[in-house]
Amino acid sequence: MPERDAGPATGLPDRMPISLTINGEVRQLDVAPWTSLLDLLRLELGLTGTKKGCDHGQCGACTILLDGRRINACLTLAVMKDGARITTVEGLAAADGGLHPLQAAFVEHDAFQCGYCTPGQLCSAVGLLAEGRARSAEEIREHMSGNLCRCGAYPNIVAAIEQVMQ
Amino acid sequence: MANGETYFGTARGRVDGPAKVTGSARYAAEFAAADLAHGHVVSAAIAKGRIAAIETAAAEAVHGVLRIFTHANRPGTAWRDARYRDEVAPPGSPFRPLHDAKIVFSGQPIALVVAEDDATARYAASLLRVRYAAEPHATDLERQRGQAYVPRRKRTGIAPPPKPRGDAQKAFDAAPVRIDHEYRVAVEHHNPMEPHASTVIWEGDGRITVHDKIQGVQNSLGYITGVFGLSQKNVRVLSPFVGGAFGSGLRPQYQLFLAVMAALDLKRSVRVELTRDQMFTLGYRPATIQRVALGAAPDGTLQAILHDAIAGTSTFEDYQEVVVNWSSLLYHCDNVALTYRLAQIDTYTPADMRAPGATLGVFALESAIDELAYAAGVDPLEIRRRNYTRTDENEGKDFTSKELMECYRLGAERFGWSRRSAAPRSMREGRELVGWGVASGAWEAMMMKTSARAALTADGRLEVATATADIGTGTYTILTQIAADALGLPMESVTARIGDSALPHSPVEGGSWTAASAGSAVQAACRAVREKLFSAARAAENSPLANADPSHVRFVNGRIVLAADPARFITVADAMRAAGLERLEEEATASPDSATQKRYSAYTHSAIFAEVRVDAQLGVVRVTRIVNAVAAGRIINPRTARSQIIGGVVFGLGMALTEESLPDHALGRFMNHNLGEYHIPVNADVPAIDVIFVDEHDDKASPLGVKGLGEIGIVGSAAAIANAVYHATGTRVRSLPMTLDKLLPEKPAGRA
Ligand code: FES
Ligand code: FES
């Protein structure tokens, strides 16, 4: 067996303590400095609702809400967000399990097919509504264009968001 | 026991919708185990040659690395090719990961680094040093076309071009109006949003449970047992949710082989998930070079059709799809010559991708028909009607049904086609040129032998099950509707189970055949349950149905009711109780009717209308309106059906305008292997899409009267958009995608 070293020679500590509020729950976590928020959620915390489509900030599947703003979790290192408040798709529904109006509208308008882009679309739409930037279908299209849907559910996604916007 | 239909034909929300919007639907890479290890694939950097050496010492020294698999230490697997051939494999010698030092395509997996966690595996993989002995490669179809050949062995299920009819060359030479051009379509990759992944759970004692991204769990099962010599009872493959596939999940992909190999060797659970750039090392829609020559009378009536296609394939498999046959299927013509050839390039084998073949052939044909319309001075819609055929002239058979004429009529009406001004470049708004185009589409309506099980329990709940998949197509929902109707239960009392290799046999979910096949099987199983239940109900003490004939009762609202006197009934639960039945389970198999198949051809059809706006100075194309009129037999669920068509149109929009895997022939690989440079349509690219389902009665294509919808939406889309672009600009673009450089007033030198 070859000698095993302690890991990449980055000069960084192996793990750093941070605190995150995830879907309302305060979590004290030890995370590697190179771990993205996306990998933290999916691989370490078992919150697999947030999806990995590219890991490069090019598809939006990993969109989550960080302090109320939509971001790509794959482009964000977890250690940079010590103290932040995070909402993932698992945290959108009410405590009693009742669907968020956008979740209900997505089901009603068939705003997805395979469902893989859906958590990202939902978090992105929640963020968009909070931004108050979209006033028309045209603007929804524009501001939702960071979230790819290979199934092509776009017209139904727009219809669902429009319904909730009104 | 004819039953009314409460759900069939009505718009229903997806039964798996809540799971998908709450994040509880789990996909292949999202299953975990306490002993889970992570594998990262190392991809070859050359297109052809040999691995001279792989240095693994540095990677092995990383803390947390468990094992590095290469061709040098790969555990033994099956020897014969047949063991690696899956259900839908084309003829040839399937690719074997880590088989030997030979490299046959760029991106070929050459090592799997397995570590305790994903980041360690990824990092260690970057430390591998590989030396290659490269050999000259050929990846340019254009250069290989001289070597094109007619494949010696045909791919199962793929009809070769029909025999020539009449004398096409002579008729073409003599025709008063002639069109003769080459059309090209670039390589495209499926790029489902979920990357391919397999999680193999080690259950102990050599047993494994495999979560695979696959469109047919039993296809993966057969592959695993064949390659690794495992017994069927020790392997179970699951795919309850598939994050899109569009054909990329028909054949088991190499991550499945690698994950199973590692799990069996390490005797622990292993997950292998591909990166987005590795998604460009799998199968793809092959590039094609097509020539279409049409000869016609002055009024546009076809006199000759010649269509030749050359498509790329790998050096180890003869991948085939139906590209040219559509040309003599869609129109009446007495003189037809169609040819289809392959040319080998040093890439992975192409794969079925949404409406494989038809998207390519119909783009060329429907562009050529449009060109013919202008040459003959006939309206593009009118020329299609004028050449209409009521029979399948390829096979000399009648159609089970064909309402394409009605698609033309209703689509044109909705679109406002009659207001179109005929001349190209004649419609303008501000700085944008406006164009309207039309195209026809067709796809074979297939049905495959499929089995299903139905189980009714004393609490009045029904479970139906078959080993098919739902890749976003709505399979769960339509099976639930069909089953609920068959036993007169509310949909809420029915559960559909799919995506489990232990369930009754189903072929891969593809080719638009799932609704007809799995749907018919589920209905048959439910009917078998119904018959048993009826006997039980009749035999029950003081049964209100004591002397009833099966034809006199109906199953509604959880009751078995005498049709003539609805006050006389027995509830399903009471009937079960009376017969002392806790569970009533039946299995049934539905097969296509071979006598009908001999006599009839079954196809779906569409007429698609597109409006584009093209910036006169910059050449930027926007699609602003689509109407797609589809004739596909009965529609089980108009809501999910509409989504299928919209999805197909969006796929076609990408094909028309942006999608292109750009090869670097010097390196022999695709350059834009990411979603930032391979452009699939985004929300802002997609206009309002109007879907019309034309009434079409069909009692032959399948027992349910349905024909399938997964493919027809895309067929014709790219041609309709290309024809609209010509109408807007007067520039005919014969190579997809129609990027703006092809439309600039002054074309830069060197690009067609
Ligand atoms: S996974 Fe983060 S943007 Fe694609
Ligand atoms: S629903 Fe499949 S990618 Fe959007």
Side-chain angles (χ1 to χ4, degrees), chain A residues 111-118 121 148-153, chain B residues 193 243-244:
Chain A
F112 53 88
Q113 293 175 37
C114 77
Y116 198 79
C117 73
T118 311
Q121 303 278 1
L148 304 183
C149 175
R150 187 51 155 166
C151 295
Chain B
M193 292 313 298

Side-chain angles (χ1 to χ4, degrees), chain A residues 38 51-63 72-75:
Chain A
L38 179 59
K51 304 303 181 197
K52 182 183 278 189
C54 70
D55 218 15
H56 281 59
Q58 295 173 331
C59 77
C62 64
T63 308
N72 289 336
C74 70
L75 288 187

Side-chain angles (χ1 to χ4, degrees), chain A residues 21 63-71 83-88 92 122-132:
Chain A
T21 305
T63 308
I64 57 164
L65 295 158
L66 188 128
D67 293 331
R69 290 180 47 232
R70 47 181 176 158
I71 64 156
R85 197 166 40 82
I86 287 168
T87 306
T88 69
L92 290 182
L122 283 163
C123 287
S124 196
V126 171
L128 174 63
L129 292 186
E131 288 158 23

Side-chain angles (χ1 to χ4, degrees), chain B residues 4 31 77 93 118 148 150-151 237 266 319 397 453 468 579 587 594 609 612 663:
Chain B
F31 292 85
T77 51
S93 181
D118 179 60
V150 175
V237 184
L266 296 168
Y319 172 79
K397 296 180 191 171
R453 185 172 68 215
T468 187
E587 190 167 322
S594 56
F609 299 79
V612 301

